[in-house]
Amino acid sequence: MKPRSARIAATAATVVVLAGFATACNRGSDSGSSASGGKPALGVDLPRADSDFWNSYAQYIKKDASSQGLNTLPVSNSQNDVTKLVANVQVFQNTGAKAVVMAPQDTGAIASTLDQLSAKKIPVVSVDTRPDKGNVYMVVRADNKAYGTKACEFLGKQLHGKGKVAELQGALSSINGRDRSEAFAACMKEKFPGIKVIELATDWKGDVASAKLQSTLAANPDLAGIYMQAGGVFLQPTLVLLQQKGLLKPAGRPGHIAIVSNDGIPQEFDAIRKGDIDATVSQPADLYAKYALFYAQAAAEGMTFKPGPTDHRSTIISLPNGLEDQLPAPLVTKDNVDDKSLWGNNVGE
C-alpha cells in the first residue's frame, strides 16, 4: 500500500485534517458501502442524556452527520450503562456498521466488546474517554490531566495558596475522573501545599455531589473553593445548594466561594457572567463530534494515521492500544467568556 496525501478529506464536504504527520492507506471498503451514496455505515452510540454537555454533543453529531452526508445507522444512547452499550454495539454489528463511535463511561468494562469488534475488523472511535484495554482506531479527547492542572492553578491563585477546596470528582472507574483527580491533587501538592483539598467521589451524579457538598459545608463553614469536574451534571445542583445556604455570592464580594468547572456549556458561561462561578475549562463538544465522525469515516474507508501535530491545533499521540487526538480545551474566565470561537457561545446556530 502506498501512502496517500497527508491531508485527507473527511467526507465529500471540506473537512481537511492532518498535516505532515498523517498518512493514509486504502484497504478497500466496497463490501462495507451502503446503497446510499456508496458510503459505509457508521454506528454512533451516545453515552448519556442527563448532562447538558452530552446533549450538546448529540446535537453536533446530528448536525455534522447531516451536513457531511454520512451514512449513519440509527443513533443509540447507552444511558451511562455499559450493558446497554454492549447491546447497542451488537445491533450495529448486526446492521452492517463498518465503524463505531462510542464514549464508554466505564473505561475498564468495555475491553471485551472492543476485542470482539477488533476480531470482526470493525474499527472503534472512542470519544472523550480512553478505554483502559482493547484496540481503538482513534480516541478523540482533550488532555484531561490538563483540566485538573488548569483548575488547580486557577483556584490556587484565587485563594492565594491558602484555604479549603472541595473537589467534586467524577467516577474514578473512568480515565477522565482519574486523570482530572490525579492531576489536580499533584498540582495542589506541588504548587499550593497550603490548600486543603476535600475529595468527594460522585460517580458523575449531581444528586450525590449535592449531598456530599452539603455535608462538607456543614463540617467546613470556611470552605473557600470548589472544583467541579463536570459542569454538565454538577453546576445546577451546586448553585441551588449554595443559594439555599445563602452562600452564592458574586465574584469579588466578601464570602464568595471561588468555583472552577469543566465542560464549557452555555449555562457555565452564563454563571461566569453573573459571577456565580469564576471559570471553566471548555471541553470541545463541537470538535468531539466533528472529528469522531471524521475518524469513523476514515476508518471505514481504510485510512490510517501516525502520531504528530495536526492542522486543527491538536496532537496525535500513541497509546498502548491505539492513537489519541488530543484536542485543545481552553480555560474560560470573565475575560474571554464572550469569545465567539467557544462552542458554548454557538450552540444551536
Side-chain angles (χ1 to χ4, degrees):
M1 295 182 290
K2 296 181 180 180
R4 296 174 61 186
S5 168
R7 292 177 179 265
I8 303 166
T11 65
T14 59
V15 182
V16 178
V17 182
L18 303 174
F21 289 85
T23 60
C25 298
N26 196 327
R27 294 195 304 261
S29 58
D30 290 344
S31 62
S33 298
S34 73
S36 175
K39 292 188 176 181
L42 308 178
V44 180
D45 181 80
L46 306 174
R48 53 200 304 159
D50 60 348
S51 160
D52 291 324
F53 173 82
W54 285 114
N55 289 336
S56 295
Y57 167 78
Q59 292 178 37
Y60 282 115
I61 283 286
K62 181 178 180 180
K63 177 182 176 182
D64 290 350
S66 176
S67 65
Q68 295 177 27
L70 301 181
N71 176 26
T72 55
L73 297 171
V75 175
S76 62
N77 192 316
S78 50
Q79 301 289 352
N80 197 26
D81 185 336
V82 70
T83 59
K84 291 182 180 178
L85 175 56
V86 171
N88 293 342
V89 168
Q90 185 62 54
V91 172
F92 293 152
Q93 291 183 55
N94 294 341
T95 51
K98 298 305 175 185
V100 170
V101 175
M102 64 172 70
Q105 302 294 279
D106 187 332
T107 55
I110 198 63
S112 60
T113 297
L114 294 177
D115 289 340
Q116 292 172 14
L117 290 169
S118 180
K120 294 180 178 295
K121 301 188 183 305
I122 301 175
V124 172
V125 175
S126 181
V127 180
D128 184 54
T129 60
R130 178 197 301 164
D132 299 343
K133 296 180 180 179
N135 292 332
V136 288
Y137 176 85
M138 186 70 72
V139 176
V140 176
R141 183 174 179 254
D143 183 351
N144 277 248
K145 288 186 179 295
Y147 291 6
T149 300
K150 289 178 181 180
C152 159
E153 292 175 342
F154 182 87
L155 277 178
K157 292 176 182 177
Q158 292 290 109
L159 274 57
H160 305 289
K162 298 179 181 179
K164 298 177 182 178
V165 169
E167 179 186 11
L168 304 183
Q169 299 174 314
L172 299 181
S173 62
S174 160
I175 185 67
N176 289 353
R178 294 197 301 272
D179 275 0
R180 297 175 199 184
S181 298
E182 290 169 4
F184 188 76
C187 171
M188 281 293 183
K189 181 178 180 180
E190 177 185 355
K191 297 183 178 181
F192 306 105
I195 292 179
K196 178 183 178 181
V197 178
I198 303 169
E199 298 178 340
L200 304 176
T202 69
D203 198 31
W204 304 120
K205 295 178 180 178
D207 57 342
V208 174
S210 181
K212 289 191 174 183
L213 181 58
Q214 183 168 1
S215 298
T216 299
L217 287 167
N220 302 273
D222 56 344
L223 189 74
I226 299 172
Y227 170 35
M228 303 186 295
Q229 288 191 7
V233 290
F234 299 150
L235 179 66
Q236 287 308 117
T238 298
L239 295 184
V240 167
L241 176 62
L242 294 179
Q243 181 71 51
Q244 291 174 345
K245 298 291 183 180
L247 298 174
L248 189 62
K249 300 180 180 180
R253 300 280 183 86
H256 170 71
I257 296 176
I259 302 175
V260 60
S261 187
N262 288 163
D263 272 350
I265 58 176
Q267 293 87 338
E268 286 171 308
F269 289 3
D270 288 341
I272 290 172
R273 294 182 183 104
K274 293 176 183 177
D276 291 343
I277 72 172
D278 301 79
T280 187
V281 178
S282 177
Q283 286 199 94
D286 55 343
L287 299 185
Y288 278 4
K290 177 178 180 178
Y291 290 109
L293 293 172
F294 164 75
Y295 285 118
Q297 182 73 12
E301 292 177 351
M303 299 175 182
T304 59
F305 299 89
K306 292 182 178 180
T310 75
D311 64 1
H312 51 274
R313 298 188 302 116
S314 68
T315 301
I316 293 180
I317 64 171
S318 293
L319 305 174
N321 54 339
L323 296 172
E324 177 172 313
D325 188 354
Q326 295 192 322
L327 300 172
L331 181 72
V332 181
T333 68
K334 63 181 181 180
D335 295 330
N336 64 336
V337 69
D338 294 322
D339 187 340
K340 289 297 290 184
S341 69
L342 297 167
W343 72 267
N345 287 323
N346 302 304
V347 175
E349 294 184 2

